[in-house]
Amino acid sequence: MAANATSYQVSPSEKRLALVFILTGFAHLLIGILMGLLQGLEHMGINLIPSMPVIQTYYQALSIHGVFNVLLFTSFFIVGFLGYMASYGFERPLASVRLGWVTYWVMLVGALLTDWALLANRATVLYTSYAPLKAHPAYYIGLALVVVGTLLLLLNLVRTYLAWRRERPGERIPLLSFGALVTFIMWGMASVGIVVEFVFFLIPWSLGWVAEVDPLLTRTFFWESGHPIVYFWLLPAYLSWYFLLPRQAGGRLFSEPLARLAFLLFIPLSLPVGFHHQFLDPGVSQGYKAIHTVLTFAIFIPSMMTAFTVLASLELGGRARGGQGLLGWVTKLPWKDPVFTGQALGMLLFALGGVSGLINASYTLNLEVHNTLFIPGHFHLTVGAAVVMTFMATSFWLIPHLTGRALWNRPLALVQVILWAVGMTFMSRGMSWAGMLGAPRRTMLGAATYREAAWNEPLELVGVGGVILTIAGILFFLNLVLTLLNRRPAGEVEVPLAEPLPEAGPLPQYLDRFMPWVVSGALLVLIGYGPTIFRLLTTMQTVAAPALNPF
Amino acid sequence: MHVHPYERAWIIVSVALLMVFGVAIVVSSLSMGIQIPGLSARLAPVSPDGFASDEPWVRQLGPGRYEANVFAQMWAFQPSEIRVPAGSTVTFYLHSRDLLHGFKILDTNVSLMAIPGQVGKVTATFNQPGEYLIVCNEYCGVGHQAMFGRLIVEEPSATL
Ligand code: HEM
Ligand SMILES: [Cu+2]
Ligand SMILES: [Cu+2]
């Protein structure tokens, strides 16, 4: 076994905690995926929604799809997974396991409130919750509680870190704990926008305490958190690719210092980029939009560093397994292992998602793709493929590790991740294509009177991809449930912590400190957002919700 | 800190790529006249020739120069049809009467958000005669998929 791998066992209570978080997350993903199927079929002209129970409109399905998949599934999975990784890395329990359970209950109550409002068609406002679309207060309060939960884990992680520091002065922060801390510190800073939006504006407004809100101001607060949130989803996947996948592939972490640097760079660079969602908004100056373009581009750098280090680590694995020549090592990678293949295919699709992201972020090109189906074509590759496939692949080892029950069917898991990748490829290709022909997103296109004939072929791809995806999704849940019920013991499943190459040498001190990165992030937010937020706050243009309920 | 030479080269290439992209953006926005909306420009409440800014209209300012005051509301644009001769330069002022809406003229460089409380402004020149679809591309309630308009760029002869 690797020299730095530990035999540390996390307590059963923390194992249960991680498990309930992850399963609550997956329960939301299941419902989200079923909505996705309805949307994909609708786009190719087969509208099943009228014959569905509960679901009344296309837009209700879409609201559920967005909120369940990217707000609830992700938050629950990440809090469970990273809380566990941190405590395993530190080789000590969380500062307060009890607080961990409180976090779970707070988030669960929040999720149930939001679920109810969505399923009752009282919150058909889509996950962006743009005012003056007004949802039932339970929707906003529920989401706010979920965010509070994520911040409670941040608090717990920081306290655990400080306690660990006292116990082990002078040691480097262990990689897994480091990744978890960076993710939650970044998110803690990023969440300010959505917290202000909900607590000071949307919740009081939905409760009737204030009559009007400013749509541009609330939207600006939303995107201040709404872009960094994608890095909140992505960094846990990066944690797996950097620190676990190399071992799963039989290799080593190629460059530990650069891995840590890339993580830390995400703290400042994730934050002031939200205007790339508002390029076409009146009331935000072109100068600040240009600044956010530059900063969005800057985040390309740590992403490229990640691509290099992760591929180099995999190459070490392929060569250690006997791979020869320039590319021969690729064939020696453990492609039959669903844990590896799920992540590798996710990374491959992520590369395409990254390229389409550069297009979206490009000030002028954005004009062409803004609010077209090109955008979901982009993020189904990033979050829908890379992040979700990594979380699925992680659950193939983590659930057996947590429960002691063996993965029910390994070959099925392999087929399933491949099917998911194929489905995503078809669907994203269809979406990007339709988007470039001008087809709008968030639109019930099967019923759109203006639908153009040229959109038919790409939208059929969306439907076909959606069906393949749904089959893959159902196979995943079948495997998950039967694993939970499996009587066959998993044996000892290790946390596959990768060992860094020693050549990388000693780490500079600044890679072990968070403060400089936090301060520079705060400064960038002040520069990137301060003047605009100040101007919007001092010249508010408030409006009431429409008299007629729009949904 | 030790950085592998290949990795160093990779990072340098990445930075260089970004610079190329940056230059491409600057060139496209300056030389191709691609405009995105900025700080809100408001119209005078009533223009000297009697056009009120809280009503929809299209008016001619001079030869080949037009202004359109457009309102987005659940679930239509007003005016729903805009006619200009080919070669015209049109300045759009975009308002919303209720929710967020989108205003995208397909196959042109005009696209912007309609946000209650803000007035969007963009200018574009239309040289190709034809009928252009205008779609609302931001969700605005159950009738969102029925919200569209047309821009008709007429052959110059038709308007003589
Ligand atoms: C069976 C799998 C899936 C199918 C068939 C599917 C299908 C779709 C379709 C057709 C849309 C576009 C709807 C529109 O713009 O009108 C959409 C939107 C979206 N999807 Fe998926 N999807 C799937 C899985 C996922 C997953 C796994 C995630 C993320 C974890 C995800 C996140 C989203 C988000 C955030 C939106 C945008 C919602 C909005 O605009 O408000 N989807 N999906
Ligand atoms: Cu973004
Ligand atoms: Cu609309």
Side-chain angles (χ1 to χ4, degrees):
Chain A
M1 207 176 191
N4 72 337
T6 78
S7 53
Y8 176 72
Q9 285 288 337
V10 180
S11 71
S13 171
E14 280 180 276
K15 283 193 171 173
R16 265 198 314 279
L17 182 61
L19 187 67
V20 291
F21 267 117
I22 289 169
L23 294 182
T24 312
F26 276 130
H28 283 94
L29 181 67
L30 173 60
I31 297 173
I33 286 176
L34 296 177
M35 298 302 118
L37 175 66
L38 297 176
Q39 293 151 214
L41 289 176
E42 196 283 337
H43 276 24
M44 73 183 289
I46 306 171
N47 185 8
L48 298 181
I49 292 166
S51 49
M52 284 289 136
V54 183
I55 307 303
Q56 299 172 28
T57 67
Y58 177 82
Y59 301 105
Q60 185 192 4
L62 187 59
S63 298
I64 297 173
H65 184 72
V67 174
F68 277 45
N69 283 351
V70 293
L71 300 182
L72 300 176
F73 159 61
T74 49
S75 300
F76 275 90
F77 185 93
I78 292 166
V79 170
F81 176 46
L82 291 196
Y84 193 82
M85 287 295 103
S87 112
Y88 181 85
F90 281 135
E91 299 186 2
R92 76 183 305 292
L94 288 176
S96 168
V97 177
R98 178 190 292 264
L99 177 61
W101 282 100
V102 170
T103 305
Y104 178 72
W105 291 110
V106 168
M107 285 178 68
L108 184 67
V109 169
L112 291 174
L113 286 173
T114 301
D115 295 352
W116 170 80
L118 283 164
L119 293 171
N121 198 27
R122 304 289 288 275
T124 299
V125 297
L126 305 187
Y127 80 99
T128 42
S129 318
Y130 292 144
L133 279 167
K134 191 197 251 180
H136 190 280
Y139 170 79
Y140 302 108
I141 295 171
L143 284 181
L145 287 176
V146 172
V147 174
V148 167
T150 60
L151 298 179
L152 288 177
L153 184 72
L154 169 62
L155 177 72
N156 217 341
L157 290 184
V158 170
R159 287 180 52 198
T160 312
Y161 165 62
L162 295 175
W164 171 86
R165 256 279 165 259
R166 278 193 301 276
E167 291 158 10
R168 313 245 191 124
E171 275 188 34
R172 303 229 75 103
I173 306 171
L175 284 173
L176 293 174
S177 315
F178 174 83
L181 271 167
V182 169
T183 307
F184 273 86
I185 290 172
M186 185 283 293
W187 170 242
M189 297 179 70
S191 66
V192 172
I194 203 168
V195 168
V196 170
E197 184 197 15
F198 275 52
V199 172
F200 293 109
F201 297 99
L202 297 187
I203 292 178
W205 175 61
S206 70
L207 288 168
W209 299 347
V210 293
E212 300 190 337
V213 286
D214 181 334
L216 179 59
L217 176 68
T218 45
R219 173 175 160 86
T220 304
F221 277 126
F222 180 85
W223 286 117
E224 192 195 347
S225 301
H227 190 81
I229 202 176
V230 312
Y231 299 113
F232 179 59
W233 309 329
L234 197 59
L235 286 177
Y238 276 17
L239 177 142
S240 180
W241 299 351
Y242 267 122
F243 305 143
L244 305 174
L245 186 61
R247 182 172 182 89
Q248 289 157 341
R252 290 193 179 191
L253 170 55
F254 179 77
S255 171
E256 181 184 351
L258 281 179
R260 288 187 190 249
L261 178 63
F263 259 90
L264 288 167
L265 280 173
F266 275 103
I267 296 182
L269 295 183
S270 300
L271 298 174
V273 291
F275 285 167
H276 69 224
H277 295 255
Q278 296 180 273
F279 282 152
L280 300 187
D281 283 15
V284 179
S285 81
Q286 286 138 336
Y288 281 104
K289 289 172 179 172
I291 291 177
H292 283 225
T293 303
V294 173
L295 289 166
T296 308
F297 272 10
I299 210 139
F300 184 63
I301 302 298
S303 300
M304 291 296 272
M305 287 162 64
T306 304
F308 187 95
T309 300
V310 170
L311 279 179
S313 306
L314 293 185
E315 179 173 350
L316 292 175
R319 294 203 186 281
R321 299 163 65 93
Q324 305 277 325
L326 194 59
L327 287 176
W329 57 271
V330 176
T331 58
K332 294 287 183 187
L333 289 169
W335 292 104
K336 291 204 177 104
D337 177 4
V339 177
F340 172 80
T341 301
Q343 297 183 76
L345 293 178
M347 281 160 49
L348 202 67
L349 294 180
F350 186 65
L352 299 176
V355 172
S356 52
L358 276 172
I359 294 175
N360 305 340
S362 299
Y363 193 80
T364 42
L365 267 183
N366 173 272
L367 192 76
E368 194 56 32
V369 297
H370 176 80
N371 272 356
T372 68
L373 274 176
F374 189 87
I375 305 298
H378 154 73
F379 63 64
H380 279 93
L381 292 173
T382 53
V383 62
V387 171
V388 171
M389 291 176 75
T390 300
F391 290 178
M392 285 175 167
T394 298
S395 70
F396 296 151
W397 69 263
L398 186 57
I399 302 281
H401 169 88
L402 293 174
T403 59
R405 293 167 189 262
L407 180 62
W408 180 66
N409 191 325
R410 193 162 275 277
L412 177 68
L414 183 64
V415 171
Q416 179 253 306
V417 290
I418 294 172
L419 265 185
W420 187 271
V422 171
M424 244 354 144
T425 309
F426 273 89
M427 188 171 83
S428 279
R429 163 73 198 168
M431 285 176 165
S432 318
W433 180 9
M436 283 191 287
L437 297 174
R441 68 181 284 203
R442 307 184 133 181
T443 304
M444 191 183 174
L445 286 173
T449 41
Y450 54 76
R451 179 179 168 128
E452 301 201 328
W455 300 348
N456 290 341
E457 206 181 328
L459 291 180
E460 271 155 29
L461 273 183
V462 172
V464 170
V467 170
I468 300 175
L469 272 168
T470 309
I471 294 172
I474 288 171
L475 292 178
F476 172 78
F477 283 101
L478 181 75
N479 216 347
L480 178 69
V481 170
L482 291 174
T483 299
L484 292 171
L485 299 175
N486 202 351
R487 295 250 173 76
R488 194 155 43 86
E492 204 51 47
V493 180
E494 62 157 16
V495 174
L497 176 61
E499 200 192 332
L501 274 190
E503 285 90 288
L507 290 175
Q509 272 303 319
Y510 61 85
L511 293 184
D512 227 23
R513 295 233 178 83
F514 296 112
M515 259 314 155
W517 308 92
V518 169
V519 171
S520 53
L523 280 177
L524 277 181
V525 172
L526 272 184
I527 296 168
Y529 269 109
T532 303
I533 297 265
F534 179 78
R535 183 173 49 75
L536 291 178
L537 275 172
T538 47
T539 57
M540 278 216 253
Q541 299 282 333
T542 61
V543 297
L548 181 85
N549 179 11
F551 50 85
Chain B
M1 182 164 69
H2 168 87
V3 179
H4 192 282
Y6 286 176
E7 182 150 27
R8 184 172 310 229
W10 174 263
I11 294 173
I12 291 170
V13 169
S14 309
V15 174
L17 255 181
L18 281 186
M19 302 219 167
V20 173
F21 295 159
V23 169
I25 291 175
V26 172
V27 169
S28 69
S29 61
L30 296 183
S31 76
M32 296 164 70
I34 298 174
Q35 262 197 39
I36 68 172
L39 290 178
S40 293
R42 279 164 203 283
L43 288 162
V46 180
S47 73
D49 39 0
F51 286 93
S53 61
D54 58 358
E55 280 165 24
W57 40 252
V58 181
R59 66 175 176 184
Q60 187 168 14
L61 298 178
R65 289 200 301 124
Y66 288 79
E67 257 181 8
N69 202 36
V70 181
F71 286 81
Q73 66 185 61
M74 296 186 299
W75 292 290
F77 291 109
Q78 293 179 323
S80 63
E81 193 180 285
I82 298 171
R83 271 174 196 274
V84 292
S88 308
T89 298
V90 186
T91 297
F92 296 90
Y93 290 91
L94 180 67
H95 318 249
S96 165
R97 291 201 205 272
D98 39 46
L99 303 167
L100 261 63
H101 297 275
F103 181 85
K104 180 178 175 71
I105 310 182
L106 265 56
D107 306 317
T108 73
N109 286 333
V110 177
S111 178
L112 71 164
M113 301 292 295
I115 302 179
Q118 307 292 328
V119 183
K121 179 188 176 191
V122 288
T123 301
T125 302
F126 303 98
N127 290 319
Q128 272 298 322
E131 224 185 273
Y132 296 85
L133 176 62
I134 305 174
V135 291
C136 169
N137 59 10
E138 183 57 85
Y139 167 65
C140 56
V142 279
H144 166 54
Q145 69 282 349
M147 184 161 169
F148 72 104
R150 301 266 174 206
L151 168 74
I152 295 161
V153 179
E154 297 173 322
E155 299 280 356
S157 58
T159 56
L160 285 181

